[in-house]
Amino acid sequence: MILRQRMYWALQSGGWFAWMLNEAVLYTNQYGWHWAWLYASLANISLAILLTHQYKRITKQFAWQDLPLFAMLRNHFIALCVMATCLVALNLPIDQYLLGENFEVQMSPFIITQYLFNFMKPLAIWMLIYFFFQYSKKQLVMERENNQLERAIQETEGKVLRAQMNPHFVFNALNSIRALITEDPAKAKKGINQLSKLLRSSLLTERKKTISIAEELDTIIDYLNLEKIRYEERLTWKVDVAKEINQAQIPPMLLQTLVENAIKHGIAHSSKEGLIEIKGEVIGDQIQLQVINPGHLKIRGESTGIGLINSQNRLTLLFGETAHIDLKPLDKNRVLASVTIPYLAETIA
């Protein structure tokens, strides 16, 4: 703020000094040098700065920039005429006094109008420059506010999506435990302990936009151990994630959702032993994560479910169109879910 004020006064003084210096040179060439030109120039510079500064104060105080176009142009034109008239009222007597017998011009409306137009030119230039800077400043403020609003909207959308993910995950886990309550109460008790551990982990990460892949894998292993209680030998898993991406950042529960989907549509529908493979590698400047499960991909309107839909929406909010989820058959008996995202080394606040 202070720097902007200093720049304003420096431009004010410098601009009007340059204009009056030009006028003084013209007068000197025509009538010869007189020290009185210096005093007249200082008087003109002082009055011009006073007038334009008051104009600036009034336009800001009464918000002329926000007026309808016709009203705004009318006010600026009136202000231009008033400022030019004040400079004419100062300079006509000065010219008559300093030039004396050289001032041979007879006063007439035409001469006064000529004086007015002569002073209107620098004033109009000053007003245009000021209007341009005010307009640019207003656009910059609007752009900043729009960016802040957009970030706030994205943050809200992200929180809503994360809030939808947690109940989705909890319902799946509770369904697993519910199936064990009558069949094997001991395993159900163990499942509740596993769920408690998972919820504790979820509470720690729900406020984060991103977590490391290593943290996500720890949660997934806990979840798989919980599901193992229910599916026993029908569920096995293999994790093959490159070490160099362990600290790379991804949205919380991104891989978790793919694993849930793999169990729900793969392991749950099979009576045989099923293997879930979790893979991760670096491809160029991107990371590709894969979850492979046994089963067949069925194309239905709601087959992907809220989990995958929300995951894609969260990826779009964080990374734009550079991130996406693909779900396709890998072969006749396996389905591949893959996520491609930019490599992100630091947590998004």
Side-chain angles (χ1 to χ4, degrees):
M1 182 68 179
I2 296 176
L3 179 61
R4 190 160 59 242
Q5 286 291 335
R6 288 178 179 175
M7 184 179 296
Y8 164 75
W9 285 112
L11 292 174
Q12 268 278 62
S13 304
W16 287 115
F17 177 80
W19 170 66
M20 286 310 303
L21 180 63
N22 178 70
E23 293 290 309
V25 170
L26 292 177
Y27 271 69
T28 300
N29 288 337
Q30 187 171 357
Y31 302 108
W33 169 253
H34 298 284
W35 281 102
W37 300 144
L38 177 62
Y39 306 132
S41 297
L42 290 175
N44 274 282
I45 291 172
S46 300
L47 181 58
I49 291 176
L50 175 64
L51 291 171
T52 51
H53 183 67
Q54 289 303 312
Y55 161 81
K56 171 180 174 289
R57 187 184 63 81
I58 292 171
T59 57
K60 186 176 181 180
Q61 181 178 351
F62 295 99
W64 285 9
Q65 302 280 24
D66 299 327
L67 293 174
L69 180 61
F70 177 79
M72 181 180 66
L73 292 176
R74 178 199 62 204
N75 289 0
H76 285 298
F77 180 73
I78 292 173
L80 176 62
C81 292
V82 170
M83 289 189 292
T85 301
C86 291
L87 286 170
V88 170
L90 172 67
N91 280 271
L92 270 177
I94 289 178
D95 284 353
Q96 287 180 323
Y97 174 76
L98 294 180
L99 294 178
E101 61 183 19
N102 291 324
F103 193 78
E104 301 173 350
V105 177
Q106 298 296 322
M107 288 296 98
S108 68
F110 175 77
I111 294 302
I112 295 175
T113 303
Q114 187 178 10
Y115 262 82
L116 278 172
F117 278 111
N118 185 54
F119 287 110
M120 276 183 174
K121 286 185 289 184
L123 289 169
I125 292 172
W126 191 98
M127 293 171 71
L128 287 173
I129 294 173
Y130 176 72
F131 180 83
F132 170 77
F133 276 103
Q134 284 296 102
Y135 178 79
S136 299
K137 180 182 175 182
K138 184 177 180 180
Q139 290 297 110
L140 185 63
V141 170
M142 289 178 61
E143 184 177 347
R144 188 182 297 117
E145 290 177 349
N146 288 337
N147 289 337
Q148 291 174 348
L149 179 60
E150 185 177 348
R151 285 196 296 270
I153 291 173
Q154 289 182 348
E155 176 68 20
T156 302
E157 289 178 351
K159 288 180 179 178
V160 170
L161 292 173
R162 290 197 296 273
Q164 290 178 336
M165 294 292 288
N166 284 335
H168 181 258
F169 152 71
V170 172
F171 291 150
N172 285 344
L174 287 175
N175 283 334
S176 297
I177 295 173
R178 184 186 62 181
L180 294 171
I181 290 177
T182 55
E183 297 176 8
D184 194 334
K187 286 186 177 180
K189 182 179 179 180
K190 184 179 179 181
I192 291 173
N193 291 333
Q194 290 280 1
L195 178 59
S196 175
K197 184 179 179 181
L198 282 170
L199 290 176
R200 190 181 302 112
S201 175
S202 175
L203 288 173
L204 293 174
T205 60
E206 69 174 352
R207 292 186 178 183
K208 298 180 180 179
K209 289 184 179 180
T210 60
I211 62 173
S212 69
I213 290 178
E215 291 178 278
E216 180 82 340
L217 288 175
D218 288 342
T219 302
I220 289 172
I221 298 303
D222 288 337
Y223 175 72
L224 288 172
N225 284 322
L226 173 61
E227 293 288 41
K228 182 73 173 178
I229 298 172
R230 176 182 178 184
Y231 292 106
E232 298 179 332
E233 66 277 355
R234 289 164 56 195
L235 173 61
T236 58
W237 60 85
K238 177 183 177 182
V239 179
D240 182 17
V241 175
K243 291 183 179 180
E244 59 263 30
I245 67 170
N246 277 341
Q247 298 307 312
Q249 300 294 308
I250 61 174
M253 302 189 73
L254 175 64
L255 268 177
Q256 169 78 22
T257 302
L258 299 184
V259 172
E260 288 183 37
N261 203 58
I263 293 176
K264 179 180 178 180
H265 297 287
I267 302 299
H269 294 287
S270 175
S271 58
K272 301 178 182 179
E273 178 180 332
L275 173 66
I276 292 180
E277 298 178 66
I278 303 170
K279 299 181 178 182
E281 60 180 341
V282 179
I283 302 178
D285 59 349
Q286 293 186 314
I287 293 175
Q288 187 175 75
L289 303 171
Q290 297 180 336
V291 175
I292 302 172
N293 63 272
H296 306 279
L297 182 62
K298 297 180 181 180
I299 308 299
R300 298 196 303 268
E302 299 296 327
S303 61
T304 55
I306 189 173
L308 291 182
I309 293 173
N310 281 355
S311 293
Q312 180 61 67
N313 290 339
R314 291 167 69 206
L315 287 178
T316 301
L317 285 174
L318 282 174
F319 304 109
E321 299 301 323
T322 59
H324 54 86
I325 297 178
D326 293 316
L327 189 63
K328 61 182 180 181
L330 181 62
D331 52 39
K332 292 183 179 180
N333 298 309
R334 291 186 298 173
V335 176
L336 168 66
S338 64
V339 178
T340 303
I341 59 175
Y343 190 101
L344 185 63
E346 298 181 357
T347 303
I348 297 179

